[in-house]
Amino acid sequence: MIAPRLSDFIRDNIEPILQAWENFARTVEPPALTMDDEELRDHAHLMLIAFADDLDTPQSERQRVMKSEGMAERDEQDTAAETHAEARLLAGYTVVQLVSEYRALRSSVLSLWSKEASGHSNTAMHDMTRFNEAVDQALAESVARYERLVTQSRDMFLAILGHDLRNPLGVLVTGSSFIMQASEIPPKYVLASTRMFNSAKRMSALINDLIDFTRTHLGPGIPINAKRSDVVAICTQVIDELRTYHAERQIVFHAPPSLTASVDAGRIAQMLSNLIGNAIQHGSVDTPVIVALSGSDSEVVITVSNEGPVIPANKLRSIFEPLVRVGDGGDDPIERSSLGIGLFIAREIARGHHGDVNVDSVEGKGTRFTVVISR
C-alpha cells in the first residue's frame, strides 16, 4: 500500500487533526475555556489548507532557506497566521500560549501522519521537512504580528496616560506656586508647597519624556522648531535650575561668552537636563559634574562628564535604548523607579538637530556623553 503524501493526508484528515489540536487548546487557560468550538478552530483550518498547498508548490533552495527562517516572500494581504495572532491577542492569549498552539498543531499533524507514512522514509522525510518549514513561516508571521500589535497598544496607552496626566499636574504646579508666594501663612506650609512644586515639576519633565517617547514610536519623531539662539544662555539656565534642585552637588560649566546656533531652545534644554540628571544620578557624589560647550563653524559640541562606576562595555551598546537603565538609581526611590527613557529622548533630540550622542566610560576617567549637533 502506497502511503499518502502529507499534503493529501492533511486535506483528507482535517477533522481529526483539528480535534487533536482543539483538545490541546482547551488546556490553555484562561482564554480557551471561554471560547466555543468555532472560535477555537477559527483559523487553524485555513492554516492547514495553506500548509497543504505549500507542500504541493515547487520551491527553490533559496525559497526553502528563507521559509525555514520565517522570511518567505509574501503578498500584501494578511495571512491566516497573522489574522490568527490578532484574534488570539484579543482573546487574551500570551505569546507563549500562541507559540504553544503551533507546537500542538505541528504535533497533531505529524503524530497522526506517522502511522500512515511508516516505511516510506525518503518521501516522508521530504514532506516532513517542507511541512516544518511552512509551520515555521506561519509561526514567525504570527509572532511578528502579535508583537507589533502589543507594541502599538502599549505606546498608545502611554501616550494617552501622559496626555491625561498633564491637566491634574498643571493644577498641582499652579496651586503649590500660589501657596509659595503667599506671605500670611506659616513658613512650614511654604516649605511643604515648595517641595510639592519641585516634585510636580519633576513629574512634568518625566511626563514630557514619556510623551516624546510615544511620539517617536507612533509618529514621525520628536518635533524640532529651530530658531537662532544663544546655546550658552540655554545651557546656563538649565544648569542654574539643576544647581538649585541639587544643591548638594557641584556642576561646573565651561563655555565661551556666547555661541549662537539654529536650535530648538526648549529641546536643547530638555536634552541637557536629561544628560546632567543622568550624570548626577550615577556619578560620584564627591566629584563635580562637568559640562563643556564648544563650537566650530559647522557644529556645536556639548560634553557632560562625571566620575563614578564605569559602565560595562556590554551595557554601553544599549544605553540609549528606551526602558533600559544602567544602574540601580542610588538611594532615591524616585530615581530607582525612573522610566529609563531620558537618554533615549536625548539621543532623539540630537538626531532631530542633525547630530547624535555618544558615550565613553573609562576606568579612572569616568563617563562622558558627547553631543554633536549641526550649528
Side-chain angles (χ1 to χ4, degrees):
M1 179 179 177
I2 300 176
R5 297 299 298 267
L6 181 52
S7 57
D8 295 328
F9 176 82
I10 291 174
R11 295 189 183 96
D12 295 339
N13 293 271
I14 289 286
E15 181 56 34
I17 292 172
L18 286 177
Q19 186 59 55
W21 175 77
E22 180 184 326
N23 292 338
F24 168 82
R26 289 197 175 278
T27 67
V28 180
E29 299 184 32
L33 299 180
T34 63
M35 301 172 67
D36 58 30
D37 292 345
E38 184 177 353
E39 289 176 312
L40 279 171
R41 298 175 178 223
D42 52 1
H43 306 107
H45 183 277
L46 291 176
M47 285 191 286
L48 286 171
I49 296 301
F51 294 157
D53 291 343
D54 183 84
L55 288 169
D56 289 336
T57 303
Q59 69 177 6
S60 65
E61 176 63 19
R62 178 181 177 276
Q63 290 173 322
R64 183 195 69 77
V65 173
M66 295 291 287
K67 191 186 302 177
S68 67
E69 296 175 350
M71 300 173 61
E73 296 179 358
R74 47 163 298 175
D75 54 30
E76 296 182 358
Q77 189 173 10
D78 284 351
T79 65
E82 290 172 329
T83 308
H84 180 75
E86 291 191 22
R88 286 309 190 238
L89 177 61
L90 293 175
Y93 274 58
T94 67
V95 69
V96 174
Q97 292 169 330
L98 177 67
V99 172
S100 296
E101 282 192 309
Y102 280 92
R103 188 175 67 245
L105 191 62
R106 190 197 309 260
S107 176
S108 300
V109 171
L110 295 180
S111 61
L112 292 172
W113 180 63
S114 63
K115 302 173 184 177
E116 303 279 344
S118 58
H120 300 268
S121 58
N122 292 334
T123 302
M125 182 61 68
H126 173 76
D127 285 356
M128 184 182 301
T129 301
R130 288 291 304 273
F131 174 72
N132 282 324
E133 291 167 355
V135 174
D136 289 341
Q137 175 64 30
L139 176 58
E141 292 172 357
S142 270
V143 172
R145 176 60 61 87
Y146 186 100
E147 182 182 23
R148 182 168 67 83
L149 291 174
V150 168
T151 299
Q152 286 181 345
S153 298
R154 180 199 65 196
D155 290 345
M156 186 61 68
F157 168 77
L158 292 176
I160 294 172
L161 176 65
H163 182 271
D164 290 349
L165 284 174
R166 276 181 162 178
N167 287 338
L169 190 59
V171 174
L172 182 59
V173 171
T174 303
S176 58
S177 177
F178 178 77
I179 297 173
M180 288 167 57
Q181 298 173 23
S183 58
E184 68 278 5
I185 61 176
K188 64 178 181 180
Y189 295 120
V190 176
L191 178 61
S193 63
T194 302
R195 290 174 176 172
M196 291 169 57
F197 178 82
N198 290 335
S199 296
K201 294 293 287 184
R202 184 183 185 84
M203 290 172 61
S204 180
L206 290 172
I207 289 173
N208 288 336
D209 281 350
L210 182 60
I211 292 174
D212 288 337
F213 166 70
T214 55
R215 183 183 284 119
T216 61
H217 286 69
L218 297 175
I222 295 178
I224 301 296
N225 182 22
K227 296 180 180 179
R228 205 69 185 172
S229 307
D230 185 355
V231 183
V232 176
I234 297 171
C235 295
T236 299
Q237 181 178 353
V238 172
I239 292 171
D240 286 343
E241 290 176 356
L242 289 172
R243 283 171 175 164
T244 301
Y245 187 78
H246 297 280
E248 76 287 356
R249 299 296 298 272
Q250 184 181 6
I251 304 175
V252 178
F253 183 37
H254 301 296
S258 67
L259 179 61
T260 59
S262 181
V263 297
D264 186 323
R267 292 299 184 184
I268 293 297
Q270 182 183 7
M271 176 188 69
L272 185 61
S273 179
N274 285 349
L275 292 175
I276 297 176
N278 179 80
I280 291 174
Q281 177 181 345
H282 298 290
S284 172
V285 297
D286 301 324
T287 57
V289 172
I290 300 176
V291 182
L293 172 64
S294 61
S296 64
D297 291 340
S298 60
E299 294 179 336
V300 173
V301 180
I302 304 173
T303 62
V304 179
S305 307
N306 66 273
E307 295 184 22
V310 173
I311 302 174
N314 63 327
K315 290 189 176 182
L316 280 176
R317 291 190 293 268
S318 61
I319 195 172
F320 293 105
E321 295 306 312
L323 308 181
V324 172
R325 297 171 63 245
V326 176
D328 60 5
D331 298 326
D332 189 342
I334 297 178
E335 298 288 4
R336 288 200 303 270
S337 60
S338 65
L339 294 173
I341 58 178
L343 294 180
F344 170 77
I345 297 299
R347 183 186 64 180
E348 292 302 307
I349 291 173
R351 290 179 174 178
H353 286 82
H354 308 290
D356 210 342
V357 183
N358 295 302
V359 59
D360 58 83
S361 190
V362 180
E363 189 70 45
K365 295 183 179 180
T367 301
R368 179 180 60 186
F369 286 87
T370 302
V371 181
V372 180
I373 60 175
S374 173
R375 186 166 182 178

